[in-house]
C-alpha cells in the first residue's frame, strides 16, 4: 500500500511539475503567429517554440509535402499549428498566406520573416546580375512586402511583434557569400526603419542575427570539424536551431515589450558590429 501511495505521489508530482512548466511558458497564449520558411531548420524551431509558448502558429514553405510533414510532426506534440504553401517571392502567395491565417485564426499578432536563399557561392565581383536580383527579391524585398500585408492586421489587434532573421554575415560578410551577406545587412536597416514606422501602432520590430547554426542550409560549413577553431567561437560549439527559437519567442512576448529596432546576435560569442 505504501509503495502504491509513493507511486501515486511521484505521478502527482510529475503532473504538477509538467503543469507548472506549461503554464510558465504560456506567454504567447491567444496570439497568432505567421512564420515563413518554417518547415525545417531555424524556421521550424521558431514555429515550434512559439507554439510551445501558447501561440497559434501558421507555418509555410514552397513545397506542399514539407508543409504537411511539419504540421503533422508539430500536431503530434499537441501544438496548435496549421500550414500552407507559400513562395514569399510571389505576391499572390504572400497574400494567400495572410488570408489563410485570417481564415483559420481570425487575426494576426506576430510575423517572423525567416525566408532566405543563397544560390551563389563565389567571388563577390563575379556575382551575376540575375543572382543578385534573386537574392534581394527573396531575402529583402519579400520581407518588406509581407510586412506591408501583415502590419494592418497586427494594428487591428492593438499591437504585436515582427521579427526578421538576418545573419552574422550581415555584420561580418562571408568571403564567398558576398551578395547573401549584403542582403542580410539590408535586413538590419529594414529593422531600424520599420521599427520607427510601426512604433506609433504599438508594433515592435526586431531582428535576430544567427551565427553558425547546424542546418541543411549551412551543412557544407558545419561538416568541417575544425570550423569552431577557425571561427574562434568562444562557446566552443556550433549552434542548434533551437538556440534561435528561444530568442525569437522572447522577442515576440511581452517580456520584450520595451525592445524595438534591435538586432540580437546569437553567435556563440562571435562579436557582431556594424
Amino acid at each position: 500500500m505504501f509503495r502504491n501511495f509513493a507511486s501515486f505521489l511521484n505521478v502527482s508530482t510529475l503532473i504538477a511539475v509538467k503543469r507548472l512548466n506549461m503554464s510558465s511558458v504560456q506567454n504567447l497564449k491567444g496570439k497568432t503567429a505567421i512564420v515563413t520558411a518554417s518547415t525545417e531548420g531555424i524556421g521550424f524551431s521558431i514555429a515550434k517554440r512559439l507554439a510551445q509558448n501558447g501561440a497559434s502558429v501558421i507555418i509555410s514553405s514552397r513545397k506542399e509535402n514539407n508543409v504537411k510533414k511539419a504540421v503533422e510532426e508539430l500536431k503530434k506534440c499537441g501544438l496548435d499549428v496549421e500550414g500552407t504553401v507559400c513562395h514569399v517571392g510571389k505576391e499572390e502567395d504572400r497574400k494567400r498566406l495572410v488570408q489563410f491565417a485570417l481564415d483559420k485564426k481570425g487575426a494576426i499578432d506576430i510575423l517572423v520573416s525567416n525566408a532566405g536563399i543563397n544560390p551563389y557561392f563565389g567571388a563577390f565581383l563575379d556575382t551575376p546580375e540575375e543572382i543578385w536580383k534573386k537574392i534581394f527579391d527573396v531575402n529583402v524585398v519579400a520581407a518588406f512586402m509581407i510586412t506591408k500585408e501583415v502590419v494592418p492586421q497586427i494594428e487591428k489587434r492593438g499591437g504585436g511583434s515582427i521579427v526578421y532573421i538576418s545573419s552574422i554575415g550581415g555584420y561580418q560578410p562571408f568571403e564567398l557569400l558576398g551578395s547573401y551577406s549584403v542582403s542580410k545587412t539590408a535586413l538590419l536597416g529594414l529593422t531600424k526603419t520599420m521599427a520607427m514606422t510601426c512604433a506609433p501602432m504599438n508594433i515592435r520590430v526586431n531582428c535576430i542575427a544567427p551565427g553558425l547554426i547546424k542546418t541543411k542550409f549551412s551543412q557544407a560549413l558545419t561538416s568541417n570539424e575544425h570550423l569552431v577553431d577557425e571561427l574562434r567561437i568562444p562557446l566552443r560549439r556550433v549552434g542548434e536551431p533551437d538556440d534561435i527559437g528561444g530568442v525569437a519567442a522572447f522577442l515576440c512576448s511581452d517580456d520584450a515589450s520595451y525592445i524595438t529596432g534591435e538586432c540580437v546576435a546569437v553567435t556563440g560569442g562571435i562579436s557582431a558590429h556594424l
Side-chain angles (χ1 to χ4, degrees), residues 4-227:
N4 291 337
F5 182 65
S7 297
F8 170 76
L9 285 178
N10 286 336
V11 172
S12 299
T13 300
L14 287 173
I15 292 174
V17 169
K18 185 176 180 180
R19 285 176 177 170
L20 178 62
N21 288 338
M22 287 297 290
S23 63
S24 66
V25 297
Q26 296 295 291
N27 55 3
L28 296 177
K29 193 171 182 63
K31 307 292 186 182
T32 296
I34 290 176
V35 185
T36 64
S38 47
T39 57
E40 61 184 16
I42 288 174
F44 181 81
S45 285
I46 291 173
K48 178 179 67 176
R49 184 57 181 270
L50 295 182
Q52 287 173 336
N53 284 27
S56 298
V57 181
I58 306 298
I59 66 173
S60 66
S61 172
R62 289 180 294 176
K63 298 181 180 179
E64 186 175 0
N65 287 339
N66 290 351
V67 173
K68 289 181 178 178
K69 181 180 177 181
V71 169
E72 288 174 3
E73 183 176 344
L74 293 174
K75 283 192 170 182
K76 284 179 182 178
C77 299
L79 301 176
D80 183 1
V81 176
E82 301 287 348
T84 187
V85 173
C86 177
H87 186 317
V88 295
K90 298 180 179 179
E91 180 183 4
E92 61 271 23
D93 277 23
R94 294 192 298 266
K95 290 181 179 293
R96 187 169 61 244
L97 174 60
V98 172
Q99 190 58 51
F100 180 85
L102 294 174
D103 291 343
K104 289 291 184 179
K105 301 300 177 182
I108 300 170
D109 304 277
I110 295 165
L111 168 67
V112 180
S113 179
N114 173 63
I117 61 168
N118 178 55
Y120 176 75
F121 185 83
F124 185 44
L125 287 176
D126 292 336
T127 307
E129 182 177 352
E130 63 272 18
I131 293 296
W132 180 268
K133 289 179 178 178
K134 185 175 182 179
I135 289 173
F136 269 77
D137 278 348
V138 174
N139 295 7
V140 184
V141 176
F144 172 72
M145 298 308 295
I146 196 167
T147 302
K148 284 185 65 176
E149 292 286 339
V150 168
V151 162
Q153 302 302 327
I154 299 179
E155 186 179 16
K156 289 178 184 178
R157 299 282 282 174
S161 179
I162 296 169
V163 176
Y164 298 117
I165 305 302
S166 178
S167 166
I168 185 64
Y171 289 97
Q172 299 179 11
F174 298 114
E175 183 177 357
L176 298 177
L177 300 174
S179 47
Y180 170 82
S181 298
V182 174
S183 75
K184 292 301 183 175
T185 304
L187 286 179
L188 304 179
L190 179 60
T191 299
K192 294 287 186 183
T193 306
M194 196 62 73
M196 289 190 299
T197 301
C198 293
M201 307 173 215
N202 195 34
I203 300 174
R204 296 181 299 101
V205 184
N206 291 292
C207 186
I208 299 173
L212 187 63
I213 306 297
K214 194 179 297 182
T215 64
K216 188 182 295 184
F217 186 84
S218 64
Q219 192 171 5
L221 294 173
T222 56
S223 60
N224 179 358
E225 60 183 18
H226 302 295
L227 197 61

